[in-house]
Every structure is written in structure tokens, then in C-alpha cells.
Amino acid sequence: MRVARKAVRSRDQCAVALSGGTTPRRLYSLLASDWEASFRRRVKWDALHFFWCDERHVPPDHRDSNYRMIQDTLLSKVPVSPDRIHRIHAEEQDAQQAAEQYERDLRAFFASHDRPPRFDIVLLGVGPDGHTASLFPENESLRETGRWVVAPWVAQMNAYRVSLTLPILNAAAAVVILAAGEEKSDVVQAALEGDRDPGRIPVQGVQPVEGTLLWIIDRAAARKLTKKK
Ligand code: 6PG
């Protein structure tokens, strides 16, 4: 909230990039629930612009679509106008074309053709294998430094994905990584306390250059941490 308020105060807008996954989905459901009605009333929804950190190579109404999940879980339940929702058009036949289109959209929105876009808030999940967004272990997309958006073939998923690259995630003002559940306890311990190897544990590559990084970890996922923060 503090980051969003600061962005709105200074630029009258706040650019948020969201991820898919069951853990982020639980946060979206909470934000849209009656439990958080008072929080929702405090959010200046008409100043927020919503983007995606990544997308599966499927149409927007597909059950696996991150757009569909976030639209159904959150955006359809809060007062955000369609012109502030900037999805990845992953229904393109060719994932690379979808990535290029999204990059053009980002360059237009951030009015930038060289320096990276600075999202105000980036929300990420982390997979048990250490992937984040759609940046998977030992994938060449982890080494991309020129393009803002890539369309990696993800062998682990036997599918193409479309994803922001690490430099773009790291250009953000505030990055939040969510991890919950026993099945994330190994990757959380490896990511936070293990040897640094972003090629093997991509989430370790999330190191904001001039921004903040906040991990939100539940008890079960934190169980194997030796140094309780
Ligand atoms: C996706 C996400 C992905 C997700 C993690 C965590 O498209 O699936 O962007 O990076 O956030 O895999 O997902 P879970 O919370 O479901 O484990």
C-alpha cells in the first residue's frame, strides 16, 4: 500500500505486475473478499494499471490463463476500467509474437525505448523448482538482458510461456515474493540460505536494483529456514 500511495502521489498512477499460481491466487481472493472490504475502500483503484509478469501460451478464456484467473479472482470484483488492464495477448499463434506485442505495449505505456520500465509493484510466486514468473531452471531466458519480454520453450511444462525477464523484474520499485505450504519449504531454504545459483534457482535472480524485495512466507514454507527472519 505504501508503495502504491507513493506512486500515486508522485505520478498519479501505479503500475502493478501480477503472477499466476495458486499462492498468488489466494492473495487475490483475499483482496476481493468481504474480509478486506475496508482495505479495498482505501485503494485508489482508478490510479492502478495491471500488467502480468507472465502468461501461459493459451487464449484468455483458457482454464490455464493467468489473465483469466486474475480477472475472475480479483479484477472483475474491483472498480478497474478495462483500459487499465494490460494483458499479454498469448493467444497469438506464435508465443514470440505475443512477447513482442507485450513488449511494444510496455514501451508505449512507460514511454521508454531504452531504459527498463519501472513497475511500482511486482508480485511473484515461486515454484518448488525455484522458477518464478515463467523463468525456469537452466532456461536460456534467464540470461536475457536486452529484451524486456521473452517467449521461452519450457521443457518442464512441454509448453511455451511468455514472461518478463529478470532485468525487468529487478527494475521494479517493490518486488513481493509469495511462498506458502510445506511443498515450498525446500526451495525457500535453498533460495534464501543455499548457495547462490540463479541458473538452478531462478528466484535467486530476483534482486531489485533500486527497489525493495519482500518475501512473504507462511510457517509451513519457512519450516526449514535455519535463520528465522
Ligand atoms: C505461473 C506463475 C508461476 C507461479 C509459481 C507459484 O504462471 O504459474 O507465474 O510463476 O507464481 O509457479 O505457483 P504456485 O503458488 O501455484 O506454486
Side-chain angles (χ1 to χ4, degrees):
M1 268 297 267
R2 183 176 45 76
V3 171
R5 272 204 211 101
K6 183 178 170 200
V8 172
R9 264 201 313 273
S10 65
R11 299 191 332 276
D12 199 30
Q13 70 177 28
C14 175
V16 180
L18 300 177
S19 290
T22 55
T23 311
R25 180 188 185 121
R26 286 165 56 189
L27 174 62
Y28 307 146
S29 299
L30 184 64
L31 291 178
S33 72
D34 291 341
W35 284 99
E36 290 302 326
S38 65
F39 167 82
R40 271 203 316 283
R41 280 194 294 277
R42 298 200 319 267
V43 175
K44 200 171 178 316
W45 294 102
D46 61 356
L48 299 185
H49 284 264
F50 290 92
F51 296 83
W52 273 252
C53 292
D54 67 319
E55 186 54 280
R56 289 82 179 279
H57 185 210
V58 295
D61 58 353
H62 191 281
R63 68 176 181 283
D64 291 343
S65 164
N66 286 341
Y67 164 77
R68 175 177 164 183
M69 183 274 281
I70 296 170
Q71 181 66 22
D72 291 351
T73 313
L74 175 62
L75 297 182
S76 58
K77 298 173 179 164
V78 292
V80 174
S81 61
D83 65 321
R84 293 177 175 277
I85 296 174
H86 310 269
R87 72 180 181 89
I88 300 172
H89 290 255
E91 64 273 26
E92 301 295 336
Q93 287 308 311
D94 176 336
Q96 181 56 36
Q97 285 173 332
E100 289 167 6
Q101 177 59 53
Y102 192 48
E103 181 158 335
R104 283 194 295 272
D105 294 348
L106 291 177
R107 288 181 186 277
F109 178 82
F110 287 95
S112 160
H113 291 279
D114 45 17
R115 68 185 154 67
R118 185 166 170 80
F119 285 100
D120 296 293
I121 299 171
V122 165
L123 182 81
L124 294 168
V126 57
D129 62 355
H131 83 262
T132 192
S134 283
L135 302 170
F136 282 78
E138 313 309 337
N139 193 292
E140 61 183 1
S141 55
L142 291 168
R143 292 185 292 279
E144 179 61 49
T145 54
R147 286 176 295 170
W148 296 3
V149 187
V150 288
W153 171 255
V154 180
Q156 298 91 324
M157 298 285 173
N158 195 34
Y160 280 102
R161 291 284 190 98
V162 180
S163 182
L164 295 179
T165 58
L166 279 173
I168 303 310
L169 299 178
N170 288 331
V175 179
V176 178
I177 301 176
L178 301 177
E182 179 62 32
E183 72 279 8
K184 301 292 173 75
S185 59
D186 287 328
V187 71
V188 163
Q189 195 282 328
L192 293 178
E193 297 180 340
D195 295 339
R196 182 165 162 71
D197 181 2
R200 190 170 55 83
I201 308 176
V203 75
Q204 285 186 332
V206 178
Q207 297 287 336
V209 177
E210 291 179 16
T212 59
L213 175 58
L214 172 66
W215 280 76
I216 299 179
I217 309 168
D218 75 353
R219 259 183 233 291
R223 191 173 65 78
K224 294 179 180 173
L225 286 175
T226 55
K227 300 183 277 300
K228 302 291 182 216
K229 292 179 168 46

